[in-house]
Amino acid sequence: MKNILHVISSPRGSESFSVKLSNAVVEKFTEKFSGSSVTELNLSTDSFPHLDEAMIKAMRTPEDLLSPEQKDLLKRSDDAISQLKEADAIVIGIPLFNFGIPSSLKCWIDSVLRAGHTFSYDENGPKGLLSGKKVYIALATGGVYSEGPAKSYDFVGPYLHAVLGFIGLTDISIIRAEGTAMADLQQNALQKAISAIAI
Ligand SMILES: Cc1cc2nc3c(=O)[nH]c(=O)nc-3n(C[C@H](O)[C@H](O)[C@H](O)COP(=O)(O)O)c2cc1C
C-alpha cells in the first residue's frame, strides 16, 4: 500500500485537462498498487500564502528560538512538508500559464522548500532531504512544447526538474496533454496523454 499526494493547481475544476490527466495518473497508480491512499490538495481552493518578510524571518530562525507567533506562521508550511514526507508518490496537475506554473503552485513550492526540512547544505553543497519518492507531473498546455518551434519555450519541464530535484525528488515523469487550445490537436490531446502514462 502506498500514499499518494495529489496536488491540483488548475482553477478550472472538472473542465481542466490537467485535472483529468492527473486523475487518470492517480487511477492507474491505485490500480497497480491497490489499497493505496490518496490525499488531495487543491491549491486553487486551499491556497498557500506568498512569502512575506515575517515568513522569511521565521523560516530562517532556528527551531529553538521561534516565538509562538512564528510557530503559528510556519504551521501551514510544516504541515505541507509533513504531507510531502508521508507521500510515496506525488502527482501534480499543472496548467501552463504564461510560460510558467500557476502562482498557487509556486506558493506551495515556496512553502515546502525549507532549509533543514527538505534541503540542507554541507561541505559538498546543497543536499535534498527527500528520497525514494516518485513524482508524476500532468502538464496541460495550450500549445506544443515537447517538440517543434515552441520547444525552446519549455521552461516548466527544466524548472520542475531543478526545483524538485533540489529537495531530492529526482524521479520525475512528465506527462503532457499538449495543444489543448489548438483546433487540430485538442480533440485527442487528453487521450494521447492518458495512453502515455506509465506507472
Ligand atoms: C492565464 C492563462 C495563461 C495561459 N498561458 C499559456 C501559455 O503561455 N502557453 C500555452 O501554450 N498555453 C497557455 N494557456 C492555455 C492553457 O495552458 C491551456 O488552456 C491548458 O489546457 C490549461 O490547463 P487546464 O485545462 O488544466 O486548466 C494559458 C491559459 C490561461 C488561462
Side-chain angles (χ1 to χ4, degrees), residues 120-168:
S120 64
Y121 287 99
D122 62 19
E123 62 282 4
N124 301 315
K127 189 176 149 209
L129 299 179
L130 303 180
S131 63
K133 299 179 192 302
K134 175 77 196 177
V135 180
Y136 300 92
I137 304 290
L139 178 62
T141 60
V144 173
Y145 295 86
S146 64
E147 58 181 13
K151 196 171 189 308
S152 59
Y153 294 97
D154 180 33
F155 310 119
V156 163
Y159 167 69
L160 291 169
H161 277 283
V163 77
L164 298 176
F166 188 72
I167 57 173

Side-chain angles (χ1 to χ4, degrees), residues 38-158:
V38 184
T39 302
E40 195 173 287
L41 174 61
N42 188 332
L43 299 174
S44 67
T45 53
D46 192 9
S47 61
F48 282 75
H50 287 111
L51 295 182
D52 60 11
E53 190 184 4
M55 179 71 103
I56 291 170
K57 250 188 198 147
M59 282 178 162
R60 291 182 169 170
T61 301
E63 206 82 14
D64 51 334
L65 298 179
L66 286 171
S67 68
E69 293 75 26
Q70 285 180 312
K71 283 183 183 163
D72 275 355
L73 213 51
L74 291 174
K75 172 99 176 58
R76 193 82 209 285
S77 160
D78 290 340
D79 291 347
I81 290 170
S82 300
Q83 202 172 46
L84 196 52
K85 286 183 174 171
E86 279 160 21
D88 301 296
I90 301 126
V91 180
I92 312 177
I94 308 177
L96 185 71
F97 280 176
N98 303 317
F99 302 102
I101 59 170
S103 54
S104 60
L105 181 60
K106 179 62 166 57
C107 287
W108 177 76
I109 288 173
D110 287 341
S111 289
V112 298
L113 262 75
R114 260 175 72 193
H117 294 261
T118 50
F119 69 91
S120 64
Y121 287 99
D122 62 19
E123 62 282 4
N124 301 315
K127 189 176 149 209
L129 299 179
L130 303 180
S131 63
K133 299 179 192 302
K134 175 77 196 177
V135 180
Y136 300 92
I137 304 290
L139 178 62
T141 60
V144 173
Y145 295 86
S146 64
E147 58 181 13
K151 196 171 189 308
S152 59
Y153 294 97
D154 180 33
F155 310 119
V156 163

Side-chain angles (χ1 to χ4, degrees), residues 10 12 16-19 95-99 140-143 145 180:
S10 171
R12 299 198 318 120
S16 154
F17 285 92
S18 62
V19 170
L96 185 71
F97 280 176
N98 303 317
F99 302 102
T141 60
Y145 295 86
T180 64

